[in-house]
């Protein structure tokens, strides 16, 4: 059958789906569905793993870099936070060049799989929060990613001293 | 008549013949020798007690005509005495006498008509006990108790003629040790009375010795002496006696009394005598003091002697001496005087405690090429002569080389007058300061030289005073010399040279003839012409000087110049001292130099130029300067060697220090004090390159800082109208980092030129130095309070900059520096630290209010990397930033150390129509408008390494509420989520980079932050973090 444009006497164009072209309700339903789809619903969140903070203690080297992280058992100014420090030898930053509790130092806390790091500044101007999700922590290996960036994992190997 | 006369004559002749016949009869018949001799012998025996002999005694008539005389042949008196020179007292072959016996018998009057003793020999002797060999020759009174004095047996005396010719007369006084002898002697005498006598004496070979001293030796003495004598009193008076001793004639008048001492009141007058042979005759007693004199000439003397002569007593002698055609030599002095004329009065008092003197009416003499005329007095003639002379000199100065020190040469001519009062010992020993010498001389062609100095004065008028009547200093008491000279050339061995023209000079000196190696002198000099002075380390030309100077110079010291003081006013000076050069206009200067190692100076000048080696070059307008410096050769540089102390007030100065600063420093005015310990700036206006600065404050420990032994400390207030900070930072960069300094000091403190050979090797040339980072000195603790109205920093111009700039412990801190620029009102606290050359810290606490975003991005280009969305906005905002990073030596950030937090608050921001935003707006079906305004925006973000986390923020626009947040990286990749929260929930994820944008639908992850009512529990962590960031930002804001 020939698909003819059936024109009304006023010349208004008629489409094949007149119901869709005329009603705005469809738009509303569509937007509702989209909203539900894009809402930050956590009903499908998975169950989290749990790691021990003491397993972090020691010196770690990020794989493929000269970035070192040392998690210390030295208590910071809160009950659970402890001190750590990091440096990148590739940028000519060595551990002895770090100012005590300054730039390169951080307070850290590992609860379940959430690793919180509060990074310090030499001039005490501000503190910088970094949150990570630990996916693996053994005596030799550490893996985590930054919150919200699951695809950007960082891998560390324990340095035997 | 004729007949009568004939008769008378015949009668008288007859009578005479009768008489003669009668006498002949008496003589030859009655009084024959045979009859007379025994009578005479008998008579002699009655009166002479000693052994004697009388030969034939005869009566004489014809030989003694017209009187009868007595002649005795072979007269001999012998009276031996112990110690006598001869037992024979008198011996005479013949003695003839005509004596008026009747006068003697009747009237006790001895009348000797004639007495002749020929060829006699007489020996008088006085024994030590006082007795003589004449004492007991004649009979004396047997009464030994008779103590009356000897008296002559006659009262009056008359001698018509007495002649004694002796072949030898000796006189020995053993008691007074007198020994005299006369050779052939003829003595004649006439005496009308004791008061009217005439003695004549002609004695050959006269010798006299008294107490072993020779008073006469083979003299020929002739004497014609009218004489009056009183033998009782042994008083003799001479009236016009003429005495000739050898060829020396003199006339004597006066009287003498001989007793235990000889009393004299004698005047004598000589003929013209030659001095040399005369001195040979004068007893040594009188010429002993003249032993050093060798003189000759024609002498005429008038003298008086009054007083007593005895063992220890000498009479007072006054003499008037005239010497002509004299020549003389005084042994201690190497001078022979010629054409000597003297007219002098001598007053000789030779007793103990008395002084003799000479008054010189005229003294003229020539020696070598010099002539002198003098008058004056010489006191203490026979001791240490004190001469008070007035001289007229025409002296060839080399002639007096004897008086100069051995190492001194003086050439030239001196003509004029001089007064000298000095002892001869002091003169010959050159102790001129003991006397007094005043001279007014015209000097010509003067050339003075010693081992250490020389001076030339072509034509000079000099007034000389020794000693200095009014010394300006105690050491300058030796001499004062006033000179008016057309020219002086002066040089010393150090070396020092000086040249003066047309000058008036007053010179005071210490004793230049003593053995003291330190010479002292003071000079006052006025000249309309320049003087030139030069040593090996110092020199200058001074125009129209008015100078007063004092110098102590040690001829045996290496430094030579021990002390120099000068006060000077001049129209101009060009000079140098070691490697300091100076050029001054009309000035007042006072300076003291000691030992060549310390200087004190005060200067007031209209203009100054000075240069110190290659380190400093300065010039000024009006300048008032007080300076002192003490040289220490161990100093590492000129400032540390000289340790200067300065007090300076100057206008219109310019300073060049090429080793420290690449451009001159202009100083419109300055009032400051400087020492290596502290510099205090009361007021200083300085122009450094493109910057002007007004400084007040002080800086301490400068010297120790140069020696790297202390920290340079100070507080300065700086006010500036315009400052080029970029230029100043480049000028004042240090050579090494703070940690590098401590490491290198542990390795090798002595080596300034490092042994490091890697990338951290120190820069050794200016080109490399320019690319090096600015290293904060660790030995500096300075606080600069600034108020700069305009500052060029990086690519911005800041206005009204106030705050503090501190340099301490290797940190450069800008403390709450606030200023206003085009972009905003700013407050900045910043720290710049250089622990290592390749690990440089930079930290900011930065606040901006009333921001113009366009200007903000221009000021901080990196900000766009951190907040790329800012480029999409324009309008006003507030921005707070705390950030820090370490950088390498090229100031490239070490991203791994980048830390920061920022807060941006905006109101009424307009979103620009960008490509990115238009894609989003189409997708979300925004209405298209020409200008979209966001009521407000609050963005907080953190920077961690290469990631900038933008905390979710909410934007209201149109009917839509949009939340956005995400992450931006320094490689310009980003991940942002844009959530539409109103009217629907819709999420978009924007990722990638600007060239490869990836947009996809995503969940609304920020709903729980801004639409919490959908959830039972609001997620406040994000909000809390945002508030924490903002509060930490705003707490340090001081600007309004």
């Amino acid at each position: 059958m020939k698909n003819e444009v059936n024109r009304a006497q006023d010349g208004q164009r008629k489409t094949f789906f007149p119901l869709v072209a005329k009603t705005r309700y469809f738009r509303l339903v569509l937007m509702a569905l989209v909203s539900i789809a894009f809402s930050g619903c956590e009903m499908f969140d998975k169950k989290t793993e749990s790691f021990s903070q003491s397993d972090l203690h020691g010196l770690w080297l990020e794989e493929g870099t000269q970035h070192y992280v040392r998690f210390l058992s030295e208590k910071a100014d809160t009950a659970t936070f402890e001190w750590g420090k990091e440096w990148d030898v590739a940028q000519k930053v060595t551990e002895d060049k770090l100012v005590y509790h300054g730039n390169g130092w951080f307070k850290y806390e590992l609860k379940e799989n959430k690793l919180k790091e509060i990074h310090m500044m030499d001039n005490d101007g501000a503190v910088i929060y970094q949150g990570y999700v630990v996916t693996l922590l053994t005596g030799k290996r550490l893996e985590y990613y930054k919150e919200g960036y699951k695809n950007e994992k960082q891998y560390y190997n324990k340095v035997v001293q | 008549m004729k007949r009568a006369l004939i008769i008378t004559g015949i009668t008288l002749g007859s009578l005479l013949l009768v008489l003669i016949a009668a006498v002949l009869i008496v003589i030859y018949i009655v009084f024959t020798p045979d009859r007379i001799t025994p009578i005479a012998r008998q008579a002699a025996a009655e009166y002479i007690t000693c052994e004697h002999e009388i030969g034939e005694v005869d009566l004489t008539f014809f030989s003694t005509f017209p009187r009868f005389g007595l002649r005795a042949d072979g007269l001999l008196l012998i009276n031996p005495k112990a110690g006598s020179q001869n037992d024979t007292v008198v011996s005479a072959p013949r003695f003839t006498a005509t004596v008026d016996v009747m006068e003697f018998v009747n009237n006790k009057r001895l009348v000797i008509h004639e007495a002749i003793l020929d060829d006699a020999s007489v020996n008088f002797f006085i024994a030590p006990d006082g007795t003589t060999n004449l004492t007991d020759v004649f009979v004396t009174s047997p009464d030994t108790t008779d103590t009356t004095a000897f008296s002559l047996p006659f009262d009056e005396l008359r001698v018509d003629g007495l002649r004694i010719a002796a072949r030898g007369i000796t006189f020995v006084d053993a008691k007074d040790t007198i020994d005299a002898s006369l050779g052939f002697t003829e003595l004649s005498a006439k005496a009308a009375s004791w008061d009217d006598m005439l003695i004549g004496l002609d004695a050959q070979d006269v010798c006299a010795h008294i107490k072993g001293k020779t008073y006469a030796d083979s003299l020929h003495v002739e004497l014609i002496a009218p004489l009056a004598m009183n033998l009782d009193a042994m008083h003799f008076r001479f009236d016009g006696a003429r005495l000739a001793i050898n060829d020396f004639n003199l006339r004597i008048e006066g009287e003498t009394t001989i007793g235990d001492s000889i009393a004299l009141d004698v005047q004598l007058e000589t003929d013209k005598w030659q001095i040399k042979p005369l001195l040979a005759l004068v007893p040594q007693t009188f010429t002993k003091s003249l032993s050093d004199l060798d003189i000759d000439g024609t002498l005429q003397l008038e003298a008086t002697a009054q007083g007593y002569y005895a063992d220890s007593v000498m009479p007072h002698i006054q003499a008037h001496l005239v010497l002509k055609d004299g020549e003389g030599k005084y042994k201690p002095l190497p001078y022979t005087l010629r054409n000597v004329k003297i007219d002098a009065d001598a007053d000789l008092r030779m007793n103990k405690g008395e002084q003799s003197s000479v008054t010189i009416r005229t003294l003229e003499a020539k020696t070598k090429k010099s002539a002198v005329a003098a008058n004056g007095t010489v006191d203490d003639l026979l001791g240490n002569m004190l001469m008070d002379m007035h001289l007229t000199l025409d002296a060839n100065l080399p002639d007096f080389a004897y008086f100069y020190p051995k190492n001194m040469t003086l050439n030239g001519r001196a003509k004029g007058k001089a007064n000298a009062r000095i002892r001869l010992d002091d003169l010959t020993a050159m102790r001129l300061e003991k006397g007094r010498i005043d001279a007014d001389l015209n000097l010509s062609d003067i050339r003075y030289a010693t081992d250490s100095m020389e001076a030339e004065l072509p034509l000079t008028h000099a007034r000389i005073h020794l000693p200095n009547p009014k010394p300006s200093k105690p050491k300058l008491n030796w001499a004062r010399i006033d000179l008016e000279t057309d020219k002086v050339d002066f040089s010393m061995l150090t070396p020092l040279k000086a040249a003066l023209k047309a000058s008036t000079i007053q010179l005071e000196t210490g004793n230049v003839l003593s053995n003291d190696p330190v010479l002292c002198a003071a000079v006052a000099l006025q000249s309309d012409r320049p003087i030139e002075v030069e040593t090996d380390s110092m020199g200058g030309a001074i125009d129209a000087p008015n100078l007063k100077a004092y110098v102590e110079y040690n001829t045996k010291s290496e430094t030579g110049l021990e002390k120099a003081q000068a006060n000077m006013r001049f129209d101009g000076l060009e000079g140098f001292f070691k490697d300091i050069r100076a050029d001054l206009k009309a000035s007042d200067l006072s300076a003291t130099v000691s030992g060549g190692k310390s200087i004190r100076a005060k200067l007031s000048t209209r203009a100054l130029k000075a240069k110190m080696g290659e380190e400093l070059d300065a010039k000024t307008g009006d300048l008032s300067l007080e300076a002192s410096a003490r040289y220490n050769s161990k100093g590492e540089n000129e400032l540390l060697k000289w340790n200067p102390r300065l007090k300076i007030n100057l206008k219109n100065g310019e300073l060049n220090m090429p080793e420290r600063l690449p451009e001159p420093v202009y100083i419109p005015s300055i009032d400051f004090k400087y020492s290596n310990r502290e510099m205090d700036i009361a007021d200083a206006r300085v122009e450094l390159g493109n910057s002007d600065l007004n400084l007040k404050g002080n800086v301490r420990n400068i010297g120790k800082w140069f020696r790297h032994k202390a920290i340079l400390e100070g507080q300065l207030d700086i006010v500036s109208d315009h400052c080029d900070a970029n230029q100043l930072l480049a000028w004042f960069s240090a050579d090494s980092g703070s940690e590098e300094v401590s490491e290198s000091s542990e390795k090798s403190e002595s080596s300034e030129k490092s042994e490091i050979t890697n990338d951290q090797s120190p820069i050794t040339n200016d080109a490399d130095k320019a690319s090096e980072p600015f290293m904060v000195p660790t030995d500096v603790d300075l606080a600069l309070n600034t108020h700069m109205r305009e500052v060029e920093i990086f690519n911005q111009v800041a206005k009204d900059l106030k705050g503090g700039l501190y340099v301490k412990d290797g940190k450069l801190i800008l403390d709450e520096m606030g200023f206003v620029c085009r972009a905003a009102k700013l407050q900045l606290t910043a720290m710049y630290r250089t622990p290592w050359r390749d690990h440089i810290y930079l930290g900011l606490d930065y606040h901006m209010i009333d921001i113009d975003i366009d200007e903000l991005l221009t000021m901080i280009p990196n900000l766009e990397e951190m907040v790329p969305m800012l480029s999409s906005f324009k309008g006003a905002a507030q921005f707070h930033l705390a950030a820090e990073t370490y950088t390498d030596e090229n100031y490239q950030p070490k991203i791994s150390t980048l830390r920061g937090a920022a807060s941006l608050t905006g109101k009424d921001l307009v979103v620009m129509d960008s490509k990115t935003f238009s894609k989003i707006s189409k997708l979300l079906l925004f209405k298209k408008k020409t200008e979209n305004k966001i009521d407000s925006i609050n963005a907080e973000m953190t920077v961690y390494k290469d990631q900038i986390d933008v905390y979710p923020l909410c934007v209201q626009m149109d009917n839509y509420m949009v939340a956005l947040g995400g992450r931006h990286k320094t490689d310009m990749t980003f991940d942002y989520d844009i959530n539409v929260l109103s009217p629907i929930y819709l999420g978009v994820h924007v990722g990638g980079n600007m060239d490869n944008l990836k947009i996809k639908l995503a969940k609304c992850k920020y709903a729980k932050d801004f639409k919490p009512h959908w959830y039972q529990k609001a997620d406040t962590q994000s909000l809390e973090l945002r508030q924490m960031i903002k509060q930490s930002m705003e707490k340090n804001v001081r600007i309004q």
Side-chain angles (χ1 to χ4, degrees), chain B residues 346-580:
Chain B
D347 186 68
L348 303 177
R349 297 169 189 264
M350 290 168 278
N351 295 318
K352 190 176 180 182
E354 292 181 338
Q355 287 191 354
S356 303
S357 64
V358 172
T359 300
I360 301 174
R361 297 179 190 167
T362 305
L363 186 151
E364 295 177 9
K366 293 182 180 177
T367 182
K368 299 185 182 180
K369 295 182 183 177
S370 302
V372 62
N375 60 75
T377 58
V378 178
D379 293 324
D380 198 10
L381 180 68
L382 302 179
N384 188 3
M385 293 186 200
L386 173 61
M387 300 177 289
D388 187 355
M389 302 297 295
H390 310 283
L391 301 103
T392 301
L393 299 170
D394 183 2
N396 180 39
L397 295 177
D399 292 346
F400 298 94
Y402 171 79
F403 295 100
Y404 309 151
K406 287 182 183 175
N407 61 345
M408 175 176 149
T409 304
L410 184 59
N411 292 315
R413 198 146 197 103
K415 210 170 178 179
K417 293 186 184 298
N419 299 322
R421 181 181 169 83
I422 190 169
R423 291 196 178 271
L424 184 63
D425 282 357
D426 292 330
L427 180 64
T428 54
M430 297 306 296
R431 293 189 297 263
L432 303 182
E433 68 279 4
K434 298 279 188 181
R436 179 174 170 172
I437 299 174
D438 300 296
D440 189 326
L441 303 171
N442 290 311
L443 307 175
S444 55
D445 301 321
I446 298 298
R447 189 166 185 277
Y448 167 85
T450 65
D451 291 344
S452 56
M453 68 173 75
E454 290 183 3
E456 289 187 17
L457 295 83
L459 198 63
T460 304
H461 176 220
R463 289 186 295 277
I464 302 171
H465 304 279
L466 271 80
N468 186 351
K470 288 183 182 178
S472 57
K473 289 181 187 297
K475 287 185 180 180
L476 301 172
N477 59 351
W478 193 73
R480 177 189 168 108
I481 302 173
D482 295 300
L483 301 174
E484 292 173 11
T485 179
D486 64 339
K487 184 183 173 185
V488 178
D489 289 318
F490 176 80
S491 63
M492 296 183 78
L493 198 62
T494 39
L496 166 69
K497 289 184 182 177
L500 299 82
K501 294 184 176 65
S503 306
T504 302
I505 304 171
Q506 295 92 40
L507 179 66
E508 298 177 86
T509 73
N511 192 345
V512 299
L513 302 178
S514 71
N515 295 325
D516 189 348
V518 179
L519 306 177
C520 304
V523 174
L525 181 151
Q526 302 89 39
S527 177
D528 294 331
R529 309 286 293 278
I531 61 172
E532 296 169 0
V533 180
E534 184 175 345
T535 70
D536 57 346
S537 61
M538 178 172 70
I542 306 167
D543 192 20
N546 187 322
L547 167 69
K548 289 182 182 176
Y550 171 74
V551 173
E552 288 184 13
Y553 187 83
N554 191 331
T555 56
K556 293 188 178 176
S557 166
E558 285 185 5
T559 55
L561 194 66
E562 291 205 340
K563 190 175 183 181
Q565 292 174 337
N567 290 290
M568 185 158 60
R569 196 174 302 137
F570 50 85
D571 290 346
L573 178 148
E574 291 182 16
F576 67 92
F577 182 80
K578 290 192 184 288
D579 59 353
I580 302 172

Side-chain angles (χ1 to χ4, degrees), chain A residues 31-32 34-42 45 62 67 69 86-88 91-94 96-99 102-106 116-117 119-130 132 146-149 152 154 156, chain B residues 759 833 836 838-839 841 843-845 882-886 889 894-901 942-945 947 949 951 966-967 969 975 984-987 1001-1005 1008 1014-1015 1021 1025 1028-1029 1032-1033 1035:
Chain A
M31 287 196 315
V34 170
S35 298
I36 293 169
F38 289 102
S39 64
C41 184
E42 296 176 350
D45 287 342
E62 186 176 357
H67 171 226
V69 182
E86 60 174 342
W87 61 92
D88 192 336
Q91 294 187 348
K92 297 179 181 177
V93 183
T94 54
D96 59 299
K97 289 185 177 177
L98 301 181
V99 174
N103 188 302
W105 285 72
F106 56 88
K116 294 180 182 176
E117 292 182 354
H119 289 264
M120 314 305 293
M121 294 172 69
D122 281 356
N123 70 358
D124 234 8
V127 293
I128 296 99
Y129 172 81
Q130 295 291 302
Y132 300 95
K146 187 169 179 179
E147 284 177 335
Y149 298 91
E152 296 177 6
Q154 296 173 35
Y156 293 84
Chain B
D759 290 342
R833 191 160 55 86
W836 285 270
D838 63 347
H839 195 64
Y841 172 83
L844 297 174
D845 184 64
E884 67 180 32
T885 186
Y886 282 84
E889 61 270 20
K894 296 181 179 179
I895 298 299
S896 65
T897 64
L898 183 62
R899 305 284 187 271
T942 60
V943 179
Y944 173 71
K945 296 185 181 179
Q947 300 174 11
D949 292 318
Y951 282 80
R967 184 185 70 179
K969 297 180 85 171
D975 291 289
I984 60 167
Y985 280 107
L986 179 64
L1001 297 174
K1003 291 181 179 178
C1004 289
K1005 58 198 289 187
K1008 57 184 182 295
W1014 276 45
Y1015 299 90
Q1021 177 179 284
L1025 288 174
M1028 183 182 71
I1029 292 169
S1032 68
M1033 298 289 100
K1035 73 178 187 307

Side-chain angles (χ1 to χ4, degrees), chain A:
Chain A
M1 166 190 284
K2 190 175 182 180
N3 190 16
E4 292 181 334
V5 174
N6 187 10
R7 298 192 180 269
Q9 289 182 349
D10 57 0
Q12 189 176 11
R13 182 177 179 177
K14 295 181 180 178
T15 63
F16 184 74
F17 300 100
L19 182 63
V20 174
K22 288 184 178 176
T23 181
R24 61 182 175 184
Y25 296 110
F26 178 75
R27 293 180 186 175
L28 289 171
V29 172
L30 182 61
M31 287 196 315
L33 287 173
V34 170
S35 298
I36 293 169
F38 289 102
S39 64
C41 184
E42 296 176 350
M43 66 177 73
F44 302 109
D45 287 342
K46 293 180 180 177
K47 187 179 180 181
T48 57
E49 287 186 75
S50 185
F51 301 99
S52 169
Q53 183 166 315
S54 60
D55 291 339
L56 283 173
H57 294 165
L59 180 64
W60 300 86
L61 173 65
E62 186 176 357
E63 208 169 71
T65 71
Q66 293 185 62
H67 171 226
Y68 289 85
V69 182
R70 188 188 294 277
F71 292 94
L72 302 170
S73 57
E74 178 185 346
K75 289 293 181 187
D77 52 358
T78 60
T80 55
F81 278 86
E82 293 176 328
W83 284 105
K85 48 184 173 175
E86 60 174 342
W87 61 92
D88 192 336
V89 177
Q91 294 187 348
K92 297 179 181 177
V93 183
T94 54
E95 185 176 12
D96 59 299
K97 289 185 177 177
L98 301 181
V99 174
Y100 185 65
H101 291 178
N103 188 302
W105 285 72
F106 56 88
K107 303 173 188 177
Y108 71 93
E109 177 193 62
L110 179 59
K111 280 186 177 175
E112 296 181 346
N113 66 340
K114 294 288 193 293
L115 175 61
K116 294 180 182 176
E117 292 182 354
I118 301 174
H119 289 264
M120 314 305 293
M121 294 172 69
D122 281 356
N123 70 358
D124 234 8
V127 293
I128 296 99
Y129 172 81
Q130 295 291 302
Y132 300 95
V133 177
V134 178
T135 58
L136 177 66
L137 176 58
T138 69
K140 292 184 180 179
R141 190 139 174 107
L142 168 65
E143 296 177 7
Y144 59 68
Y145 61 88
K146 187 169 179 179
E147 284 177 335
Y149 298 91
K150 196 172 182 179
N151 297 328
E152 296 177 6
K153 270 191 181 176
Q154 296 173 35
Y155 304 94
Y156 293 84
N157 296 309
K158 197 80 173 277
V159 176
V160 178
Q161 291 183 300

Side-chain angles (χ1 to χ4, degrees), chain B residues 673-748:
Chain B
K673 298 177 189 174
Y674 175 85
S675 70
N676 283 352
R677 183 182 297 178
E678 181 177 357
M679 178 172 72
D680 182 71
I681 305 171
D683 180 44
R685 285 184 283 140
V686 177
E687 293 172 10
L688 281 158
N690 301 327
S691 307
D692 65 85
L693 300 168
N694 195 330
L695 296 170
K696 285 183 186 179
N698 63 77
V699 179
R700 302 177 294 277
N701 303 329
I702 299 168
K704 288 182 180 178
W705 179 63
F706 270 110
R707 293 193 296 270
H708 308 286
K709 288 186 178 177
I711 293 175
L712 184 69
E713 297 178 347
Q715 292 90 36
L716 293 172
D717 296 326
I718 302 175
V719 177
S720 172
D721 289 330
H722 182 85
C723 176
D724 187 340
N726 299 321
Q727 188 181 53
L728 293 178
L729 283 172
W731 285 6
F732 292 105
S733 171
D735 293 332
S736 57
S738 57
E739 296 299 327
E740 291 169 343
V741 169
S742 60
E743 286 175 359
S744 65
S745 65
E746 288 173 2
K747 286 177 186 175
S748 174

Side-chain angles (χ1 to χ4, degrees), chain B residues 216-326:
Chain B
D217 186 13
S218 298
L219 301 180
H220 176 207
V221 178
E222 291 181 76
L223 173 67
I224 300 175
L227 178 65
M229 83 168 62
N230 182 336
L231 289 178
D232 290 336
M234 290 300 286
H235 175 80
F236 304 87
R237 190 180 75 244
F238 301 89
D239 293 322
R242 296 174 64 83
L243 174 65
I245 302 177
N246 290 5
D247 297 323
F248 299 100
N249 301 313
L250 66 153
R251 290 168 295 281
I252 302 175
E253 278 194 29
E255 53 190 346
T256 179
T257 302
I258 299 173
D260 291 335
S261 63
I262 302 173
L264 295 171
D265 183 3
V266 178
Q267 300 87 43
L268 70 84
E269 181 181 336
T270 71
D271 290 346
K272 293 182 180 178
W273 291 351
Q274 281 300 121
I275 294 175
K276 215 159 201 165
L278 171 65
L279 287 175
L281 298 180
V282 175
Q284 200 176 4
T285 305
F286 300 97
T287 62
K288 184 171 57 177
S289 59
L290 305 176
S291 60
D292 289 337
L293 272 179
D294 180 10
I295 58 175
D296 199 3
T298 303
L299 170 70
Q300 189 168 8
L301 178 67
E302 295 174 15
T304 62
Q306 290 177 318
Y308 293 90
Y309 174 78
D311 282 344
S312 58
V313 178
M314 295 291 286
H316 175 205
I317 299 174
Q318 292 175 295
H320 175 223
L321 173 72
V322 174
L323 174 68
K324 293 180 181 177
D325 301 322

